[in-house]
Amino acid sequence: MASNSDNSSVGMPQLDFSTFPNQIFWLVVFCVVLFAIVKFFIIPRMEDIFANRRKIIDGNIAKAEEIRLRVSEIEKHIEEELQKAKSQCDEIMNASGNNIKEQMALALEDSKIATTQLISEAEGRLKELRDGSEAAIEKISEELASVIISKISRGK
Amino acid sequence: MEKQSAFNIYPMDQFIIDPILTGDSLEWYSFTNQALWMLISLVSISFVFIYGSRKHQLVPGRLQSIAELLYFFIRDMIIDIAGQEGLRYFPYIFTLFILILFGNVLGLLPYSFTYTSHIAVTGFLALSVFVAVTIIGFVKNGLGFLSLFWISSAPLALRPILLIIEVISYFVRPVSHSIRLAGNMMAGHAVIKVFAGFAGALGLGAIAPIFAITAVYGLEMLVVVIQAYVFTILTCVYLNDALHPGH
């Protein structure tokens, strides 16, 4: 190391102006080469990687959005179906209620007819019985009268 | 180490530019140790950015993560500071950044040469930034670029004084821009070298200097990255001045 003392072991090599043209020459050469590398290799590559990533992320976001839309559609569909089923159920309940009411009315009608029939039948029989008993009373009273008459006439 | 005494420390020798192919004579075209380390940093940059991300992975691996981190760090920095139109100059600023960053970091390897410790290099870079920014300023804004020096938000009486200050500070920019970087690199490496000289002189009992080297080396790891960042962010700030001189 000390062999360089002829050059400069005292002072700063940075201030040795005789080296400046050489330094600047190589600096310019490497700057130009590096700039070309940056411009034609590094930047396109980085932007490509970034754009790809962006694309995939955007694609995923779009897909997620699509799925979200489909989910809300399915939800709406389910809601609709539910509403439909509910109204159908209401309809069925109403219909069966009406049916029951009708059936009951019919049954009531039937039983009313049956009772009136029974009542009129019973009334007819009662009338018959009454008629029969009147005739019997008449017959008995006739017989009784003839007995009484014969008793009286005998007693004389 | 067969010198006059064991205590000869030449902390500045590591910065000597040495033609390594053409013998001792240094012509403007001689391939030097400095040029060699520029080449090495070029190869390293290509390795990280081109080889490291050759698979265009969606989920980046280690090298590709580094490349993407650096790339988008600078990209976002330009957008933050100079706005969207600053992005046009992204290739230039990014070239500057990785050239300085890799030069600084590789310079920390033992026996390496730190080309960013040379005023000629940083001065040339800073001057090219200065010239480019001035040209961009005049091309984009015409004479309106001069409103950068005429602070319309200050009271009228103060403006001539501010004009002088602003003009001086504008022309001092390339000086501070370049010396900040070269000075930091040179100082750190010289300090390490000095402690290394102590360690060499003390031989086996050199625990304290070795500890000091370790500490300074750790600090330098930080400084090396920060200075590359500072150089780039100042470039962005100057670019923003050129694009929007009215503040």
Side-chain angles (χ1 to χ4, degrees), chain B residues 3-21:
Chain B
K3 284 151 284 168
Q4 310 91 300
S5 91
F7 216 74
N8 273 338
I9 301 167
Y10 301 103
M12 304 310 277
D13 275 10
Q14 58 179 319
F15 304 118
I16 290 171
I17 287 173
D18 201 13
I20 52 175
L21 291 183

Side-chain angles (χ1 to χ4, degrees), chain A residues 118-140:
Chain A
L118 275 177
I119 288 168
S120 63
E121 238 171 63
E123 265 173 359
R125 212 171 312 149
L126 259 170
K127 210 174 163 202
E128 240 171 58
L129 276 176
R130 207 168 30 204
D131 287 355
S133 66
E134 259 170 27
I137 288 170
E138 220 164 282
K139 218 164 125 192
I140 289 169

Side-chain angles (χ1 to χ4, degrees), chain A residues 13-48:
Chain A
Q14 279 90 344
L15 296 179
D16 182 0
F17 293 101
S18 66
T19 64
F20 275 30
N22 177 280
Q23 292 193 53
I24 289 168
F25 168 69
W26 286 109
L27 179 64
V28 170
V29 168
F30 284 112
C31 272
V32 169
V33 175
L34 182 61
F35 180 75
I37 291 175
V38 166
K39 180 105 183 164
F40 298 112
F41 292 96
I42 295 176
I43 289 179
R45 175 159 303 187
M46 289 288 141
E47 292 298 329
D48 181 53

Side-chain angles (χ1 to χ4, degrees), chain B residues 201-215:
Chain B
L202 288 175
L204 282 177
I207 294 166
I210 288 174
F211 179 77
I213 292 171
T214 313

